Amino acid sequence: MKIEFKEEVKADIKVVFVLNKDLDGSFIGDRALLEKVGFNGADETSALLVERGELYVGVEDEEDLESFRIAAAKAIDVLKTLKIKDAAIASYDKSGADVAKAIAFGLILGAYEFSEYKSKPKQRQIETIYLTAENFYGAKVDENAVRAAIEYAAIVGGNVNFARDLVNRAPQDMTPSALAFAARQVAKERGITCDVYDEMYLKESGMGAFLAVSQASAEPPRLIHLRYKPKNAAKTVAIVGKGLTYDSGGLSLKPADYMTTMKADMAGGAAAIAIIKTAAKLKLPVAIHAVIGATENMIGGAAYKPDDVLRAKNGKTIEVKNTDAEGRLVLADCLCYAQDVASNLDYIIDLATLTGACVVALGEHTSGVMGFNDDLKRSLLQAAKNSGELAAELPFNRYLKKLLKSEVADMANCASVRYGGAITAALFLSEFIKEENLDKWAHLDVAGPSYVEKPWGVNPFGASGAAVRWAIDWLESL
Ligand code: BES
Ligand code: ZN
Ligand code: ZN
């Protein structure tokens, strides 16, 4: 599917956005007919008038770009079921190209479908969506700005879909080695290099926490390190991603109902790969290290156990209380690795589907932002807002930190109390951030929005590619 700007065009279907549920006022369509089919212009609703070649879609609040993204996603959701070649959407752009960008993102993200495992993939494919110069505000559309907005959404949205593809692949196919292979493919693009390390390397470099998680799996672990270093880099950022290609829980086995969807426990890692790919494509003036800890968390005779004591790369010892709190063990060593090998880091951001507690706290749509630096957290929250992703801060406090105490090791891998689990997980990670880097670090828990079982917003069923748009917006703000 292509998205193109065209002054004027006669397409198979004309898409009409109904703003602010305003079916009277300036609205020019057949109000009585729309009322008859029960359409009132609310978010995520539409009315298809086939004989007229018109699709009406609600934009609940025209001041809110997310309303346009949702409307475009809704429109494409309907359009892709029709046997048509093209459709046209008028321009709703009052000033810049923000609305055009929002519409393009909604179309690209909403059109996504993962059908690799379907023996009979759906045939119908709409070829082109036109954004036209027809403008409901009577203003002149800035053609170049609209074209640039479409181009931007195609790059970033395309890479959100790339992250979705990585996560949606079945876990027997998307193994740690397969993820490393995908990362190597990404590194073929200009400006990116890739190093992949195996279990021998983990052993030699003292990454006992990461190694322990991987040791029951028939699939060997991989530490993936992608680098993007533009000549004009103003800042250097490490993005560390949790890449659990499967999380069974280990010996602290997950109940069956909680184990399904755990192929998505690599969503942070997939996002990290997609982010560096996008940054290189956009030629962002920021040096980036993407470090991904890829492994499965399985059971068997070789499995690590509750009561085991592990030694992480920075020498700290960890008592295992629950093998399902594995992401933080993998990340602990990856965070140490990133700080040891990357020089002059300005920021360290980790992305992880880390805790169910974060989903309990914020719901399925919102990521948690944690860290010690208020300015950094603010900039991340702002970037989330700009990008159309949802994020909220979860605050640290001294009492929660004490819950990680262990009688036998430097700390336990999970808290003694079950409340506040998203925050105690982040506080665990902070033990692996060097003192001088504490203010450079933020932890993003994407457990809620990473995988979608009931479509919402611009997200169809499956992986959402959470944090890709968000991180790109943040990197642009540096
Ligand atoms: N991968 C899970 C967290 C998760 C849960 C992600 C739901 C996405 C959706 C993580 O490894 C995990 O199992 N965490 C435990 C931690 C607990 C044992 C302290 C959890 O959240 O229950
Ligand atoms: Zn787990
Ligand atoms: Zn996990």
Side-chain angles (χ1 to χ4, degrees):
M1 182 190 80
K2 294 195 301 288
I3 303 173
E4 259 175 45
F5 175 81
K6 211 159 209 169
E7 264 313 298
E8 253 187 73
V9 64
K10 177 90 192 74
D12 291 340
I13 294 274
K14 178 174 171 167
V15 180
V16 181
F17 285 164
V18 176
L19 308 183
N20 308 326
K21 297 190 185 173
D22 186 11
L23 285 174
D24 344 272
S26 54
F27 182 68
I28 27 111
D30 189 337
R31 198 177 107 207
L33 189 55
L34 289 173
E35 274 169 2
K36 209 182 271 175
V37 297
F39 174 76
N40 76 342
D43 252 357
E44 308 200 39
T45 66
S46 66
L48 175 65
L49 306 182
V50 198
E51 322 75 50
R52 299 170 63 117
E54 289 169 353
L55 172 65
Y56 290 82
V57 187
V59 174
E60 203 167 76
D61 176 4
E62 67 168 308
E63 299 301 325
D64 172 25
L65 290 172
E66 184 67 1
S67 284
F68 281 96
R69 288 186 206 104
I70 293 171
K74 182 72 214 176
I76 196 68
D77 201 38
V78 176
L79 293 172
K80 74 183 181 194
T81 65
L82 309 177
K83 275 192 176 144
I84 55 171
K85 197 163 87 1
D86 52 15
I89 304 180
S91 168
Y92 292 80
D93 203 357
K94 279 194 282 192
S95 50
D98 287 356
V99 173
K101 192 194 273 183
I103 292 173
F105 264 116
L107 292 171
I108 292 162
L109 299 179
Y112 177 83
E113 254 179 26
F114 184 77
S115 52
E116 210 176 289
Y117 297 104
K118 296 278 191 193
S119 50
K120 291 192 193 85
K122 291 193 194 111
Q123 284 300 309
R124 287 185 290 259
Q125 263 289 352
I126 183 161
E127 281 169 26
T128 316
I129 310 272
Y130 296 102
L131 287 184
T132 69
E134 187 181 336
N135 191 303
F136 284 77
Y137 295 93
K140 177 111 184 67
V141 174
D142 181 344
E143 219 176 284
N144 289 333
V146 170
R147 285 217 166 86
I150 295 172
E151 166 80 9
Y152 178 89
I155 293 172
V156 180
N159 284 333
V160 172
N161 288 343
F162 168 76
R164 289 170 167 182
D165 276 345
L166 293 176
V167 177
N168 281 331
R169 210 148 283 158
Q172 88 264 32
D173 294 334
M174 188 42 70
T175 59
S177 315
L179 189 63
F181 182 80
R184 283 197 199 284
Q185 297 299 112
V186 165
K188 284 186 178 158
E189 224 159 280
R190 269 176 80 86
I192 304 184
T193 61
C194 180
D195 292 305
V196 175
Y197 301 99
D198 63 8
E199 64 276 23
M200 290 307 296
Y201 177 89
L202 300 187
K203 196 163 204 168
E204 282 158 19
S205 45
M207 299 168 85
F210 185 169
L211 204 55
V213 173
S214 74
Q215 74 199 19
S217 175
E219 294 291 338
R222 293 290 181 260
L223 189 155
I224 303 165
H225 184 175
L226 291 154
R227 289 183 176 83
Y228 162 61
K229 196 169 186 304
K231 286 199 184 69
N232 55 346
K235 292 268 159 48
T236 302
V237 178
I239 298 177
V240 179
K242 173 177 173 181
L244 264 286
T245 60
Y246 204 72
D247 179 13
S248 73
L251 290 178
S252 314
L253 196 64
K254 286 183 185 292
D257 287 352
Y258 289 82
M259 204 184 295
T260 47
T261 75
M262 278 303 140
K263 66 173 185 182
D265 212 17
M266 49 164 287
I273 298 173
I275 290 162
I276 201 166
K277 185 171 189 274
T278 313
K281 184 83 187 163
L282 294 173
K283 298 196 168 68
L284 298 187
V286 185
I288 302 174
H289 295 266
V291 175
I292 297 100
T295 178
E296 292 183 333
N297 182 24
M298 300 298 278
I299 58 171
Y304 82 126
K305 303 170 282 295
D307 292 352
D308 276 351
V309 175
L310 316 176
R311 186 183 300 274
K313 191 172 192 297
N314 66 352
K316 290 192 181 177
T317 58
I318 305 159
E319 178 193 0
V320 177
K321 286 201 163 160
N322 189 316
T323 62
D324 198 11
E326 85 300 336
R328 62 196 76 182
L329 297 171
V330 172
L331 284 178
D333 277 333
C334 290
L335 286 165
C336 292
Y337 169 88
Q339 294 169 92
D340 288 345
V341 305
S343 48
N344 307 318
L345 285 178
D346 293 293
Y347 297 104
I348 304 159
I349 310 293
D350 74 75
L351 302 175
T353 47
L354 205 61
T355 65
C358 192
V359 194
V360 173
L362 299 175
E364 289 180 305
H365 316 93
T366 304
S367 297
V369 177
M370 287 152 267
F372 296 102
N373 181 335
D374 290 333
D375 290 331
L376 175 57
K377 283 183 284 186
R378 240 190 314 272
S379 72
L380 285 162
L381 292 171
Q382 185 60 49
K385 206 172 219 156
N386 296 344
S387 70
E389 293 198 40
L390 295 171
E393 182 185 357
L394 295 173
F396 290 162
N397 67 54
R398 70 184 75 205
Y399 309 107
L400 287 169
K401 177 105 192 188
K402 296 192 174 116
L403 303 178
L404 290 166
K405 281 216 173 87
S406 161
E407 297 293 333
V408 298
D410 296 342
M411 71 198 88
N413 80 325
C414 62
S416 49
V417 176
R418 66 195 172 99
Y419 302 118
I423 299 172
T424 49
L427 288 167
F428 176 90
L429 295 179
S430 75
E431 290 289 330
F432 303 90
I433 305 293
K434 292 178 184 172
E435 185 75 31
E436 67 267 28
N437 289 338
L438 282 174
D439 268 344
K440 301 177 178 174
W441 167 70
H443 160 61
L444 312 183
D445 192 331
V446 293
S450 281
Y451 200 77
V452 174
E453 291 184 274
K454 193 174 158 292
W456 56 273
V458 296
N459 303 307
F461 179 90
S464 70
V468 177
R469 283 184 290 156
W470 176 11
I472 293 301
D473 218 289
W474 179 74
L475 289 168
E476 285 172 338
S477 76
L478 295 182

